Amino acid sequence: MSSSLVETVDVEAPVEVTWALWSDVTRWPQFLSHVQKVAVIDDRTFSWWLALPGADKVFTAELTELVPQERIAWRTMGGVEHAGVVTFHHTGAATSRVALQIEYHPQGFVEHLGALTNLDSALANYDLGEFQRMAEEAVGTD
């Protein structure tokens, strides 16, 4: 069974700021609550350490698309089946919309439960809220 989610957030920060924050994969643990650590392997490959209730995982992913200030896409390489894309949209001179789309194959009881109850969407919304806060704080400190 495949599961997917699409979530968006409007940010009081220009695309340049939201792009800079998300394009640095080592910063993901600062706003993605389930990501404990990201280690860069090379310019297109990185490892993630995830901590979810009853489902800690480590996997390697590759960037499949990187269009500055427009798109970042990735997919896992073996083991966990997970792919995602984040798109960045200008909504004004100093505002943007960030859209997150994830496709994954739940494994185990906890992941299946999260997909069935939309807990995965709630977690994504929470994380996008944290991302929004960080991007808006970055603008406030310039």
Side-chain angles (χ1 to χ4, degrees), residues 7-78:
E7 301 294 338
T8 62
V9 64
D10 291 329
V11 184
E12 295 291 325
V15 164
E16 297 79 14
V17 171
T18 57
W19 165 265
L21 181 57
W22 203 294
S23 65
D24 180 357
V25 298
T26 63
R27 296 194 69 185
W28 290 4
Q30 296 173 358
F31 57 87
L32 298 175
S33 59
H34 58 288
V35 177
Q36 297 300 302
K37 180 181 172 184
V38 177
V40 174
I41 297 170
D42 60 38
D43 63 337
R44 305 284 295 179
T45 314
F46 53 96
S47 291
W48 300 23
W49 283 258
L50 298 180
L52 296 169
D56 291 353
K57 296 183 184 224
V58 177
F59 58 89
T60 300
E62 67 176 333
L63 294 174
T64 58
E65 191 175 6
L66 197 60
V67 181
Q69 299 184 18
E70 290 183 26
R71 297 172 65 83
I72 299 169
W74 64 91
R75 69 171 178 219
T76 57
M77 301 166 61

Side-chain angles (χ1 to χ4, degrees), residues 5-9 22 32 34 72 74 82-87 89 97-102 120 123-125 127-128:
L5 61 91
V6 177
E7 301 294 338
T8 62
V9 64
W22 203 294
L32 298 175
H34 58 288
I72 299 169
W74 64 91
H82 171 100
V85 62
V86 180
T87 56
H89 309 270
R97 175 169 292 144
V98 176
L100 171 66
Q101 182 176 351
I102 294 176
D120 55 357
L123 180 60
N125 267 317
D127 290 347
L128 285 176

Side-chain angles (χ1 to χ4, degrees), residues 90-133:
H90 293 274
T91 56
T95 60
S96 57
R97 175 169 292 144
V98 176
L100 171 66
Q101 182 176 351
I102 294 176
E103 179 84 19
Y104 70 102
H105 295 278
Q107 297 175 345
F109 176 76
V110 172
E111 289 183 27
H112 278 81
L113 182 63
L116 289 171
T117 62
N118 290 324
L119 186 58
D120 55 357
S121 289
L123 180 60
N125 267 317
Y126 173 82
D127 290 347
L128 285 176
E130 289 299 298
F131 173 80
Q132 175 188 29
R133 181 188 58 73

